[in-house]
Amino acid sequence: AARQARTIPGPGRYNQHSIVDPAVAQAREAVFGTGAECPVFFLMAPIPPHTQLALDLLTEAAPSLRTFVPGRNAECLKVLSALAQGERRHRFVYVWGQLGSGRSHLLNALAGARHLHPGSQETEFAFETSCLLYVADDVNEFSQTAQHRLFHLFNQVLAHPDAALVCAGNRPPLALQLREDLRSRLGLGLVFELHLLDDEDKTEVLRAFAEQRGVSLAADVLPWLLAHRSREIRRLIAEFDSIDRYALM
């Protein structure tokens, strides 16, 4: 079915009589209850605790390199995209940044890679020639045993020119509380600090996303959204996408 154009008004208090689109009104009532007023424009209002819905309103799309918004991280995205396409000019990459900077998004977006994390089992660290791309996330949380296994995997990858390894943590390699030989290995290749998107970048991303969905935004919607909702761009997009889809049911 064709997607109809919709308008998200600016912040204010709305009840069911303020909403002229029946589908939109139905979505609002499913979240807030019949007759309830919305504390903000309802498409982005907080969902009350313990609300039971048939549809998970916060379901997020699977991460992909295509949907990663680079901001000041364009060079890192370029290198990882090349790795995903089989290029091996840079075979070892370490990315770090604070929560919400996108490091897990980038690693999870590397399709076809074997993904390692603090809870991975011993067999998952085994190098196999059938898998030529490995990623290890949250290495700062690896146990001594996991660090030993990652170090051994690093050496195996190093011995195979067609293989690559991408790791991520919350600090640069030399600042990690890990065994010295592993810290040295993590700093062997390219090291990227991931920078958070600024508000201007987030505004442009959300505006472009709204245009793709055929949604017209009031001028004060995005400033309010950035001031009152999650600062993580994936979370903002996921909420917008999920509730917009629900409104069209």
Side-chain angles (χ1 to χ4, degrees):
R3 181 180 295 276
Q4 66 185 87
R6 298 171 306 292
T7 299
I8 297 180
R13 300 187 67 84
Y14 298 89
N15 56 36
Q16 69 268 31
H17 303 296
S18 305
I19 302 173
V20 297
D21 186 331
V24 170
Q26 182 180 8
R28 186 206 63 78
E29 290 181 3
V31 175
F32 295 98
T34 304
E37 287 192 332
C38 308
V40 295
F41 58 94
F42 84 93
L43 282 181
M44 289 298 176
I47 298 176
H50 312 303
T51 298
Q52 297 295 319
L53 297 176
L55 177 68
D56 179 5
L57 293 181
L58 296 181
T59 298
E60 298 185 9
S64 74
L65 295 177
R66 182 181 57 82
T67 60
F68 182 76
V69 182
R72 292 186 288 160
N73 305 308
E75 186 61 27
C76 179
L77 178 61
K78 179 180 178 181
V79 169
L80 294 183
S81 297
L83 277 177
Q85 295 168 10
E87 183 179 308
R88 293 297 182 262
R89 178 183 177 187
H90 302 291
R91 299 198 296 124
F92 298 97
V93 179
Y94 179 82
V95 297
W96 67 279
Q98 60 181 290
L99 183 66
S101 61
R103 63 179 192 265
S104 292
H105 178 114
L106 285 173
L107 268 63
N108 290 330
L110 293 173
R114 180 179 299 174
H115 295 264
L116 305 171
H117 51 82
S120 293
Q121 301 301 308
E122 180 178 4
T123 55
E124 298 178 77
F125 286 88
F127 178 84
E128 298 176 356
T129 55
S130 59
C131 179
L132 297 177
L133 183 57
Y134 299 81
V135 299
D137 200 4
D138 295 323
V139 298
N140 50 288
E141 299 179 9
F142 275 30
S143 66
Q144 287 291 329
T145 300
Q147 292 176 44
H148 173 76
R149 293 169 179 168
L150 181 59
F151 179 76
H152 180 69
L153 174 61
F154 204 113
N155 291 336
Q156 291 294 308
V157 171
L158 188 61
H160 291 77
D162 293 331
L165 174 63
V166 180
C167 299
N170 63 348
R171 297 179 180 180
L174 293 180
L176 293 171
Q177 299 298 314
L178 301 175
R179 47 187 284 177
E180 181 60 32
D181 53 2
L182 180 57
R183 288 196 305 165
S184 177
R185 285 288 192 272
L186 292 174
L188 181 65
L190 296 180
V191 176
F192 292 101
E193 177 185 3
L194 294 180
H195 302 278
L196 294 171
L197 295 177
D198 58 27
D199 284 354
E200 183 177 349
D201 288 330
K202 292 177 183 178
T203 297
E204 289 305 311
V205 170
L206 291 171
R207 191 177 303 282
F209 186 78
E211 290 178 357
Q212 292 173 0
R213 305 301 294 264
V215 176
S216 176
L217 297 172
D220 51 354
V221 168
L222 294 183
W224 185 95
L225 182 63
L226 292 172
H228 293 84
R229 298 297 285 173
S230 169
R231 306 292 293 180
E232 295 186 42
I233 190 64
R234 282 189 65 213
R235 181 79 172 181
L236 291 170
I237 291 177
E239 292 188 21
F240 187 103
D241 176 65
S242 296
I243 303 180
D244 182 44
R245 284 188 286 107
Y246 187 72
L248 291 174
M249 292 181 63

